[in-house]
Amino acid sequence: MKLELARVVQGCRLGVLTGLGRAGQHSLEVPGCLLYTRCGSVPHLTQDTLHTLSNLPSVTQLTLSTLAEHQEVLEEFNEGVRKFAGLHDTVLYCSLHDPATLSPTGHITNKTVSVWGSGGRIELSVDKFMALQKAVQPDLYQSMADGETWPSNTSRKRVRKSVDRTLAHLDECLLLHHKTQELKGVEVLGVVEGGDVMEERVRSARETAKRPVGGFCLDGLQSAAMGQNLRTQLITAVIKELPEDKPRLLQGVGRPDQVLSCVEAGVDLFESFFPYQVTERGCALTFTFNITTDPETSGTGVQAAPTVLKLDEDKPEVNIVENDGPDHLPEDQSSMTPFEINLKDKRFRDDFGPLVEGCGCYCCKNHQRAYLHHLLVTNELLAGVLLMLHNTAHYCAFFSALRGAIASNRLEHLKERVLKGSGMVLVREGAGLTDGQ
Amino acid sequence: MAAPIVREDEFETSMSFKKAVSVVSPLGLRIIAECPVTKARACDLTLPHCTVNTPVFMPVGTQGTMKGITVDQLDELGCQICLGNTYHLGMRPGPELIEKANGLHGFMNWKRNLLTDSGGFQMVSLVQLSEVTEEGVRFKSPYDGKEILLSPEQSISIQNSLGSDIMMQLDDVVSSTVTGPRVEEAMWRSIRWLDRCIAANKNPDRQNLFAIIQGGLNAELRKACLDEMTKRNVPGFAIGGLSGGEEKNDFWKMVTLSTDHLPQEKPRYLMGVGYAVDLVVCVALGCDMFDCVFPTRTARFGSALVPWGSLTITKKQFAKDLQPIDPECQCPTCRRHSRAYLHALFKSDTAAMHHITIHNLSYQLTLMRTVRQSIIDGCFPDFVRTFMKKMFPSPDQYPRWAVDALASVNLTLE
């Protein structure tokens, strides 16, 4: 696995992660996202419906929280999740937790972490964790980690412990990894912890970078843990300790505005649980990211008018910031963001347009908002199928537009598009987030 | 409460008016092959959106969607006609909206044929507060509590808005386990309502209206209903009032009596039948079309249909079973997934249901295509024998009614 950077603009790293997969035949463009799954399946979708979408991410994310309970059958099967789940030719990345759900706290010990499957809690020691990796047979996986630093009252001592434990888990994982024939050629991503404590973040990054890992997972920075201002500061500090040539995957962050800020802070990869969460609340992603000059669709002069949103050249780190609290309460992940529309809303009852004009996904090519509204109010299963198709397509297209914008020096333009189009306002650091709706 | 029973003689007045609405219906039936032994037949039924090869199983898409399956997936399974429910669609989103969306075809983007029921069955089965009068079925909306009257005219008006290729008349539905004068009343009323439905159809040039034979489990009433309804110039007939928990022995006799008296040149639709054995036997008795929620509903509970019965995929015994649901099945699910994976996926995601729904629809549609081919090839009786052998571990487990029904059309299983 090798990261080839084409250019770095305003902190954003544009490049290609090559040599992915056991035979090294796959690649993934960065900044980019992974394909989110539960039990090896993109939620709601069969392989036939999923593959109506083109340009899917070449890396699929598996989660131990949905696979650990199937360890026995996977071990008996002995050919890995790719074949067990009937997946197409794709690179598999295996993470510990499901990023779309917060696990209950208070079950971590010095030697174990827990995941929650359909049948309840499953406690994982490093041995069991590695036995699972052997059964899952991913191409890359996240090392075992104690990431329980997101609750707001987490003490400095607890944060330090999480860094220590995570480093110890990494060493043990690497030891077992190198002894396991079946995991030859599989990459391990080291996990950077440290909660909201700057020194611990730096220590975690520095120590992890000393280990023979293929890349890094930045954990404990999820939306539930902190605001974007703090997140940006922490990521910026962490990144300084990490080698340039290895990828950085940020866990638990998916909102487009936060993605943009984190990419500027130096993040390469994101999980794509966000479109799934949007789907589950009956919403469709509709935010604009199209920056091709087209007077028909450009709206009210976003490009033409001298914009008040223009950023100071000296201060490229200016970000959309929010109050320093978490973006959402942990239990409130179901709340809507400005990037989506709620199709249950009465105004869509007789809206015969597609979810997004010009979108090429199966849903937009075949169905109207009024139909989606009907499927949602009648609780029909097809609603989840069609929304998941559209939201996945829209999110992947956003990353593609982001790469295009970096390549063509139009990142500011894209940011304006994404944020202003969603009714958000770019503000200076220190000010609160303004929701323009 | 019950309206006076109107007798046959009262129909004389409606006869003259019937001739006036004689329009060439948008339906053609070509009999391709007839079984030399049984009453089974293979036909090409031409409808406005495409030709349907019969015998045909019609999947039920109650609320304008096939339970998690996209229209492209349904099309790829070879489905040529599916159902929508007038009661549900009339409530939500309502006929006006569907009309604006270019009918149900446009609303759900389904390019092939649609059949809609009259709404009467749901009215009686789902809504507790319903009262049947000569005017129609009066009920309270479960959504806003408003009192609504579903009359024959209203039912047809909604179905005209839905734009289905085949509409069903509003009938007076009584449970098949009910006996006594109520059955007779319902039968005669269904005939009167048929005439009102025929008169109410605004689109006889592009929407076919089917009559529904009633009469409960009483042969005389069935016969009277058949005599009367076959005098009307409707494009097709349904056999109604069955599949409601009656004895199978009574059921098949009513079916065969009906097909004996229905015109050869018109399609026969047996309502609410969808178990594999019932389908095969009733094809032998001369039925062309069937519908049932069973294959799609049972799929969502993890039950997969196979030639030897069904597998409950959620059962622990399949956790490590790496075979496909049916090793001989060619459906997208069986080509890609094992029982073990589906078992695992059932714990995490709805896609597991969709996989089994696809398989079950494929099973039903494939079964009917195989039945048809055997009729065309002149070997339907052999097909039935093989089918029964696969379905039951031994001949002494063949259901008595099926053996009798098949024997009644000269098909002996041994």
Side-chain angles (χ1 to χ4, degrees):
Chain A
M1 186 168 75
K2 201 173 154 213
L3 181 63
E4 293 166 14
L5 292 180
R7 63 191 310 192
V8 180
V9 184
Q10 244 175 266
C12 303
R13 310 194 327 155
L14 180 73
V16 189
L17 195 56
T18 58
L20 286 168
R22 300 255 181 139
Q25 74 277 37
H26 293 280
S27 63
L28 179 66
E29 289 182 283
V30 303
C33 65
L34 315 175
L35 189 65
Y36 174 76
T37 65
R38 298 173 61 81
C39 198
S41 188
V42 176
H44 304 295
L45 305 184
T46 62
Q47 291 285 317
D48 288 345
T49 46
L50 175 65
H51 287 275
T52 60
L53 303 180
S54 46
N55 304 318
L56 288 168
S58 59
V59 180
T60 299
Q61 177 177 10
L62 304 170
T63 60
L64 285 190
S65 48
T66 57
L67 290 172
E69 63 195 283
H70 308 301
Q71 183 172 359
E72 235 182 284
V73 58
L74 285 170
E75 280 171 349
E76 211 156 286
F77 180 57
N78 203 26
E79 291 183 75
V81 167
R82 192 189 331 269
K83 204 160 171 201
F84 181 66
L87 298 174
H88 281 249
D89 191 24
T90 177
V91 179
L92 295 182
Y93 160 69
C94 185
S95 72
L96 184 60
H97 296 292
D98 175 3
T101 49
L102 276 177
S103 306
T105 58
H107 295 277
I108 292 189
T109 70
N110 277 333
K111 293 287 176 197
T112 67
V113 297
S114 289
V115 292
W116 270 257
S118 69
R121 187 167 72 97
I122 301 169
E123 191 165 49
L124 307 178
S125 61
V126 169
D127 283 345
K128 187 167 164 73
F129 177 88
M130 291 304 291
L132 270 165
Q133 298 301 345
K134 198 175 136 185
V136 170
Q137 297 182 18
D139 299 297
L140 55 162
Y141 65 92
Q142 171 199 357
S143 163
M144 197 166 106
D146 166 13
E148 209 169 274
T149 56
W150 55 266
S152 56
N153 56 353
T154 306
S155 69
R156 203 167 253 268
K157 195 176 151 203
R158 177 69 184 85
V159 171
R160 198 177 315 128
K161 209 179 212 176
S162 98
V163 172
D164 290 340
R165 280 172 177 169
T166 301
L167 287 169
H169 293 333
L170 175 59
D171 289 335
E172 279 191 71
C173 284
L174 287 170
L175 202 66
L176 282 171
H177 182 91
H178 294 299
K179 281 191 200 157
T180 310
Q181 187 58 33
E182 288 88 343
L183 293 172
K184 206 164 182 260
V186 174
E187 300 275 0
V188 180
L189 302 190
V191 184
V192 177
E193 297 288 355
D196 56 2
V197 183
M198 187 61 86
E199 307 90 270
E200 291 301 325
R201 279 281 161 198
V202 172
R203 181 169 75 94
S204 182
R206 198 174 285 161
E207 287 301 319
T208 310
K210 287 180 190 165
R211 270 77 172 173
V213 293
F216 304 90
C217 286
L218 311 187
D219 192 25
L221 297 159
Q222 58 264 52
S223 298
M226 62 188 69
Q228 187 56 43
N229 188 16
L230 179 58
R231 182 180 300 119
T232 303
Q233 286 171 20
L234 293 169
I235 292 173
T236 308
V238 159
I239 292 303
K240 288 194 183 118
E241 305 298 329
L242 302 179
E244 284 277 304
D245 61 344
K246 288 179 179 174
R248 304 140 185 182
L249 166 66
L250 177 59
Q251 304 194 129
V253 170
R255 276 175 57 144
D257 53 338
Q258 294 170 356
V259 165
L260 289 172
S261 296
C262 294
V263 165
E264 284 186 295
V267 170
D268 302 313
L269 293 170
F270 297 83
E271 298 158 313
S272 57
F273 64 94
F274 181 67
Y276 169 64
Q277 288 178 327
V278 172
T279 300
E280 292 312 286
R281 54 182 171 249
C283 295
L285 290 174
T286 51
F287 67 99
T288 48
F289 47 73
N290 181 6
I291 51 167
T292 52
T293 316
D294 178 2
E296 288 290 303
T297 56
S298 64
T300 48
V302 175
Q303 291 125 309
T307 170
V308 291
L309 303 169
K310 201 165 167 74
L311 296 172
D312 191 335
E313 300 287 293
D314 304 342
K315 288 187 74 188
E317 302 96 325
V318 168
N319 284 301
I320 323 146
V321 292
E322 303 164 25
N323 50 32
D324 258 358
D327 305 321
H328 308 289
L329 296 170
E331 61 276 12
D332 196 23
Q333 294 206 341
S334 59
S335 59
M336 267 182 81
T337 66
F339 305 95
E340 59 201 270
I341 54 171
N342 180 1
L343 285 153
K344 277 184 217 156
D345 196 301
K346 268 208 175 111
R347 73 192 149 117
F348 300 117
R349 197 181 169 270
D350 57 354
D351 185 338
F352 297 110
L355 293 180
V356 170
E357 204 66 59
C359 175
C361 82
Y362 177 86
C363 177
C364 290
K365 278 193 291 185
N366 289 282
H367 296 291
Q368 302 161 338
R369 289 174 171 191
Y371 185 58
L372 270 298
H373 172 84
H374 167 72
L375 295 177
L376 284 164
V377 299
T378 53
N379 280 318
E380 279 287 346
L381 289 163
L382 190 61
V385 176
L386 296 177
L387 284 177
M388 195 63 199
L389 282 172
H390 170 75
N391 289 336
T392 301
H394 198 81
Y395 200 65
C396 293
F398 160 63
F399 276 94
S400 172
L402 172 57
R403 291 189 295 270
I406 299 169
S408 59
N409 284 321
R410 298 175 76 191
L411 183 63
E412 286 311 316
H413 199 160
L414 176 84
K415 280 167 67 182
E416 276 174 29
R417 249 301 140 96
V418 170
L419 304 174
K420 208 184 171 194
S422 307
M424 297 179 80
V425 178
L426 277 173
V427 285
R428 301 279 172 209
E429 221 153 302
L433 171 88
T434 313
D435 185 342
Q437 286 190 322
Chain B
M1 182 182 125
I5 293 171
V6 184
R7 294 285 168 185
E8 206 171 338
D9 51 354
E10 291 194 35
F11 283 106
E12 293 311 315
T13 46
S14 62
M15 288 278 103
S16 53
F17 120 92
K18 197 180 77 228
K19 282 177 196 127
V21 289
S22 150
V23 179
V24 179
S25 62
L27 176 148
L29 188 79
R30 200 160 70 91
I31 299 169
I32 303 295
E34 286 173 296
C35 174
V37 178
T38 68
K39 291 197 273 177
R41 54 199 215 153
C43 309
D44 281 354
L45 172 64
T46 305
L47 291 169
H49 284 81
C50 72
T51 294
V52 176
N53 303 128
T54 73
V56 65
F57 175 78
M58 306 180 286
V60 184
T62 300
Q63 316 205 74
T65 157
M66 192 56 66
K67 299 299 172 195
I69 302 305
T70 67
V71 283
D72 281 10
Q73 286 178 303
L74 191 56
D75 193 31
E76 267 156 41
L77 289 171
C79 176
Q80 297 163 326
I81 180 167
C82 68
L83 262 73
N85 284 115
T86 295
Y87 167 78
H88 294 91
L89 292 163
M91 285 287 177
R92 296 185 302 189
E96 302 81 11
L97 189 95
I98 290 189
E99 202 167 325
K100 267 197 233 165
N102 295 319
L104 187 53
H105 287 92
F107 189 60
M108 64 188 284
N109 195 26
W110 173 241
K111 309 273 190 263
R112 297 180 182 267
N113 300 295
L114 284 166
L115 182 149
T116 47
D117 66 356
S118 67
F121 178 74
Q122 275 78 22
M123 213 66 68
V124 179
S125 65
L126 295 181
V127 185
Q128 292 182 335
L129 292 165
S130 70
E131 183 199 10
V132 184
T133 66
E134 190 58 26
E135 212 180 349
V137 185
R138 196 173 290 284
F139 67 102
K140 262 196 185 137
S141 161
Y143 302 107
D144 57 12
K146 244 191 266 167
E147 190 155 284
I148 301 173
L149 172 78
L150 184 80
S151 63
E153 291 76 15
Q154 186 64 30
S155 170
I156 295 302
S157 162
I158 298 172
Q159 295 187 71
N160 277 155
S161 295
L162 299 180
S164 48
D165 300 275
I166 297 175
M167 304 187 291
M168 301 309 299
Q169 74 153 110
L170 184 70
D171 51 350
D172 184 359
V173 183
V174 254
S175 164
S176 53
T177 52
V178 168
T179 50
R182 177 69 184 100
V183 181
E184 182 168 9
E185 176 197 50
M187 185 274 282
W188 291 113
R189 182 175 286 143
S190 293
I191 297 168
R192 295 190 296 276
W193 283 2
L194 171 60
D195 289 326
R196 284 167 61 185
C197 286
I198 293 169
N201 183 4
K202 280 182 297 198
N203 308 320
D205 56 324
R206 54 177 198 274
Q207 290 188 271
N208 297 290
L209 175 64
F210 277 28
I212 304 175
I213 307 297
Q214 288 291 352
L217 303 176
N218 181 318
E220 274 170 45
L221 294 182
R222 282 268 160 195
K223 180 69 176 54
C225 192
L226 281 157
D227 285 345
E228 204 48 59
M229 284 190 172
T230 51
K231 286 181 197 161
R232 272 79 179 161
N233 185 24
V234 288
F237 294 93
I239 302 166
L242 300 175
S243 286
E246 71 279 1
E247 289 293 324
K248 273 291 203 302
N249 206 35
D250 296 325
F251 159 82
W252 77 261
K253 283 176 184 151
M254 291 302 111
V255 173
T256 205
L257 170 81
S258 304
T259 54
D260 277 343
H261 294 90
L262 285 170
Q264 283 289 318
E265 70 283 5
K266 289 181 181 178
R268 301 105 171 240
Y269 161 31
L270 180 55
M271 301 177 86
V273 166
Y275 296 136
V277 173
D278 301 12
L279 290 171
V280 169
V281 171
C282 292
V283 166
L285 299 180
C287 298
D288 306 309
M289 306 160 75
F290 307 86
D291 82 286
C292 192
V293 295
F294 166 70
T296 44
R297 178 173 291 167
T298 203
R300 298 197 297 283
F301 293 103
S303 176
L305 305 176
V306 287
W308 60 96
S310 66
L311 308 177
T312 308
I313 290 300
T314 48
K315 278 192 184 158
K316 211 168 172 162
Q317 70 183 98
F318 298 112
K320 292 182 185 174
D321 189 336
L322 295 161
Q323 302 174 77
I325 293 170
D326 173 5
E328 296 192 359
C329 175
Q330 291 301 306
C331 84
T333 302
C334 288
R335 275 183 311 197
R336 190 174 281 277
H337 297 298
S338 64
R339 298 168 182 178
Y341 180 63
L342 296 172
H343 176 89
L345 190 59
F346 239 99
K347 296 175 196 275
S348 310
D349 191 60
T350 60
M353 297 181 193
H354 308 338
H355 287 303
I356 299 184
T357 302
I358 294 253
H359 168 81
N360 284 358
L361 286 175
S362 172
Y363 172 80
Q364 299 280 113
L365 296 171
T366 306
L367 172 67
M368 296 310 265
R369 275 194 290 267
T370 315
V371 164
R372 174 181 161 94
Q373 196 54 49
S374 77
I375 299 169
I376 293 171
D377 296 343
C379 56
F380 175 70
D382 285 337
F383 167 85
V384 178
R385 288 184 195 108
T386 314
F387 167 85
M388 293 294 282
K389 255 186 214 152
K390 274 194 213 159
M391 187 59 83
F392 299 95
S394 69
D396 50 293
Q397 279 164 290
Y398 291 173
R400 189 74 240 163
W401 73 270
V403 175
D404 291 346
L406 292 169
S408 80
V409 284
N410 317 308
L411 203 165
T412 48
L413 287 173
E414 281 310 300

